[in-house]
Amino acid sequence: MSEISSVVRKASRVEIVEVAPRDGFQSISNPLPTADKARCIEALIHAGVRRIEIGSFVSPKAIPQMADTADLFRQFCDVPGLRLSALVPNLRGADNALEAGVNELVYVVSVSETHNQKNVRQSVDASLDGLANIAQRVREHAGESRPAMRLDLGTSFDCPYDGLVSWQQVSAVLEKALQLTQGINLEVAFCDTTGRATPWQVADYFLNLQRMHGKSGIAWAFHGHDTYGMGVANALFAIQHGATVLDASAAGLGGCPFAPGATGNTATEDLVYALNGANIQCGIDLNQLLEAADLIASLPGGQTASHLRHVPRQRIA
Ligand code: COA
Ligand code: ZN
């Protein structure tokens, strides 16, 4: 196995960003008690998760589930070796995040105009203006104290309203975004918001977009949903074609009440199982992760989607 995999696999290690605390918890309509969230986050850290999107600094009217993000950040910001990020939809969110001490900001721009309007109630161009403002704020911090940024390009493959999104459309938005973020430590994620992408499409987009925009200093990430059952395959094709960072959600927690049948992000445990099979290191202990996933799945009101949690534990080695 290891001889074969060392020939066919390219990556030897990959970073996983656990997004259950943001993408997952926000999908539970009744906001969870902060203590319950904290127990789940603790279990994830115990399993070896080293990057977590802890929440978002958004309007509490739009997403009340995220109102305790600063509190959760405070609880975990001193854990050695743990990297926490938070989503910010605008300059106000960025200022709130920076004030809370968050030093990695996630900013979302959807490539598709309609989805961007639905998500953040503004045009793609207005979102890019917002990115420019946040980038300017980030640049006000000099040297090592300068926060890092993650740009999430939503609907990079498919839009629930406009259908297929071409890599050329992604490229056009990315081009502008890269001009606006010069001098900033940047990670770019291509997000399969609907889970409708297929593996060779993912490979094609990663190859073309890196050919057009690849330069040192940018890390490439893939944020996938598992709605069509493609989540793990898409993530593997992404890392075979240049991604070094994968987003995933323990227990596959997520889903959107406005998109019937939509499920959450690719389950972290399903992804880790696939990575373990090729000796690709991600630092996470699968058995401990399954315990964290069980805890997350026991939260009331959550929609989960995981293969591995339903396999008898003695069959998972
Ligand atoms: N943090 C806290 N409050 C905020 C805020 C922020 N980052 N941004 C705006 N607000 C408040 C405003 O003060 C205003 O409050 P008020 O009604 O008491 O005056 C209210 O939210 C609406 O603000 P407005 O500027 O009119 O924005 P909007 O109604 O067009 O909403 C967003 C735009 C982006 C702020 C809102 O839709 C949002 O937070 N969306 C979250 C998107 C998200 O996280 N999606 C999932 C990730 S992909
Ligand atoms: Zn998502």
Side-chain angles (χ1 to χ4, degrees):
M1 152 73 86
S2 59
E3 261 177 44
I4 295 168
S5 63
S6 67
V7 174
V8 296
R9 70 164 158 77
K10 284 191 180 158
S12 58
R13 65 171 299 113
V14 67
E15 290 179 22
I16 291 190
V17 181
E18 176 56 54
V19 298
R22 206 277 302 165
D23 224 334
F25 291 165
Q26 79 173 17
S27 72
I28 299 180
S29 44
N30 277 342
L32 295 166
T34 306
D36 288 356
K37 292 184 180 181
R39 273 193 304 128
C40 296
I41 294 168
E42 254 166 36
L44 289 166
I45 295 170
H46 188 63
V49 169
R50 284 296 167 263
R51 291 188 63 179
I52 299 178
E53 197 171 294
I54 192 97
S56 56
F57 289 82
V58 295
S59 158
K61 279 187 194 154
I63 306 191
Q65 296 91 325
M66 294 287 107
D68 57 0
T69 296
D71 191 359
L72 282 169
F73 178 80
R74 261 192 305 277
Q75 291 189 44
F76 294 101
C77 62
D78 290 330
V79 176
L82 181 64
R83 199 169 143 189
L84 298 175
S85 61
L87 187 143
V88 301
N90 51 21
L91 187 59
R92 173 157 169 204
D95 282 340
N96 290 345
L98 293 171
E99 198 183 305
V102 177
N103 58 8
E104 186 166 340
L105 307 178
V106 181
Y107 186 74
V108 183
V109 181
S110 291
V111 174
S112 120
E113 199 60 58
T114 316
H115 189 265
N116 204 60
Q117 285 284 358
K118 300 265 184 201
N119 192 35
V120 286
R121 302 191 216 215
Q122 60 185 7
S123 66
V124 173
D125 278 345
S127 276
L128 288 167
D129 289 345
L131 176 64
N133 293 335
I134 294 173
Q136 192 45 41
R137 183 69 91 245
V138 165
R139 280 194 210 92
E140 287 166 14
H141 299 253
E144 292 210 339
S145 68
R146 177 169 291 178
M149 284 194 77
R150 150 75 92 100
L151 175 67
D152 274 0
L153 289 173
T155 59
S156 275
F157 303 89
D158 174 72
C159 166
Y161 310 100
D162 300 343
L164 180 73
V165 174
S166 69
W167 69 259
Q168 288 89 345
Q169 283 172 273
V170 183
S171 179
V173 177
L174 179 57
E175 168 94 45
K176 292 179 191 163
L178 292 181
Q179 279 165 12
L180 299 171
T181 49
Q182 280 172 16
I184 292 171
N185 176 4
L186 187 71
E187 185 169 284
V188 176
F190 301 123
C191 303
D192 180 21
T193 308
T194 58
R196 207 171 172 194
T198 51
W200 281 273
Q201 182 192 10
V202 171
D204 189 42
Y205 283 37
F206 267 88
L207 284 177
N208 280 303
L209 289 162
Q210 282 170 102
R211 182 173 51 77
M212 300 282 290
H213 304 285
K215 57 180 178 186
S216 60
I218 301 178
W220 302 98
F222 177 70
H223 172 105
H225 284 253
D226 201 27
T227 313
Y228 289 70
M230 297 291 112
V232 170
N234 285 344
L236 299 182
F237 269 62
I239 58 171
Q240 283 288 108
H241 295 90
T244 56
V245 183
L246 297 172
D247 288 0
S249 174
L253 183 69
C256 172
F258 306 109
T263 63
N265 293 90
T266 307
T268 316
E269 58 273 22
D270 293 355
L271 192 54
V272 170
Y273 179 79
L275 297 173
N276 283 354
N279 289 326
I280 298 174
Q281 307 299 312
C282 67
I284 297 175
D285 179 278
L286 187 54
N287 286 321
Q288 303 281 358
L289 176 65
L290 281 161
E291 287 185 19
D294 285 346
L295 189 62
I296 287 172
S298 72
L299 297 169
Q303 181 186 319
T304 55
S306 156
H307 290 278
L308 226 61
R309 280 192 53 248
H310 305 294
V311 174
R313 292 292 147 95
Q314 69 273 18
R315 301 271 306 135
I316 304 172

